[in-house]
Amino acid sequence: MPALYLDEFIRELRRDGDAAFRAHHPAPVIIVTRAAGELKEDAPVETTVMAETSGWRIQQVSLLNRVFAVSRGAFEKDAPMVLGRGDKADILIPDSSISKRHCVFEAKPEGTTVMDCGSTNGTTIGGAAIAANQPVLLKGGETLSVGNFSFLFHTADSFVAYLKHVVKI
């Protein structure tokens, strides 16, 4: 699944209902919620964070409220998902505060784990730093900080609950 924005998922949930939405989106997701280095304390909630994708300022992509699936497609070989700024990252965040291979998400029988790959700026869950190369089980609803960015991790079920809470469905 390509990265989409939160409002696209909200529209789909309203249009198709719970059962169809869950069938179409069975994978866990991460949502970009903020970029700590870019936002000012008194900035309005609607502030858009831009990350440069090249040296040209014209080519920019908004990352705020972007939703990334934390699994591969149905016909791809199951393998860990790498979040980083490098060309080979599965979840690409083009920012210098993110290492080329910053952290890895992996589906296991007990749930999804995240592991910091020994990144320069580290990875935190709920404000607590995680040790490099030590997988941590995620349950859904956790806030992960990676470089200057914060992400909200959701399982398929907690994602639906989150969307309903956001729009009061």
Side-chain angles (χ1 to χ4, degrees):
M1 173 183 88
L4 299 171
Y5 290 92
L6 201 56
D7 62 332
E8 295 170 274
F9 289 96
I10 292 168
R11 280 195 298 274
E12 183 179 347
L13 179 60
R14 282 182 169 158
R15 182 188 68 227
D16 299 344
D18 278 22
F21 185 88
R22 288 173 197 265
H24 192 243
H25 300 288
V29 298
I30 56 172
I31 306 164
V32 180
T33 57
R34 67 184 273 256
E38 302 292 333
L39 297 178
K40 297 183 171 114
E41 296 230 358
D42 56 350
V45 177
E46 294 82 22
T47 301
T48 299
V49 177
M50 304 300 280
E52 291 188 38
T53 57
S54 74
W56 296 95
R57 289 193 150 276
I58 295 169
Q59 295 181 348
Q60 294 182 333
V61 62
S62 174
L63 293 174
L64 195 62
N65 291 325
R66 195 90 182 253
V67 179
F68 295 91
V70 185
S71 79
R72 303 201 177 274
F75 300 105
E76 293 184 62
K77 182 181 176 191
D78 195 26
M81 298 280 294
V82 176
L83 182 147
R85 76 169 195 276
D87 293 340
K88 295 183 181 180
D90 301 297
I91 301 170
L92 180 64
I93 307 295
D95 186 84
S96 60
S97 69
I98 307 287
S99 295
K100 289 179 184 175
R101 280 183 49 90
H102 200 101
C103 63
V104 173
F105 294 90
E106 187 171 7
K108 297 196 175 186
E110 62 273 12
T112 302
T113 62
V114 64
M115 179 181 73
D116 185 82
C117 297
S119 63
T120 303
N121 293 321
T123 302
T124 67
I125 300 174
I130 62 172
N133 303 311
Q134 296 295 315
V136 176
L137 183 64
L138 299 170
K139 302 210 183 291
E142 294 93 342
T143 299
L144 293 101
S145 293
V146 178
N148 286 336
F149 293 83
S150 291
F151 299 87
L152 197 53
F153 172 83
H154 281 293
T155 63
D157 289 335
S158 70
F159 185 44
V160 170
Y162 175 74
L163 292 175
K164 287 181 170 187
H165 172 75
V166 167
V167 295
K168 315 282 190 268
I169 295 178

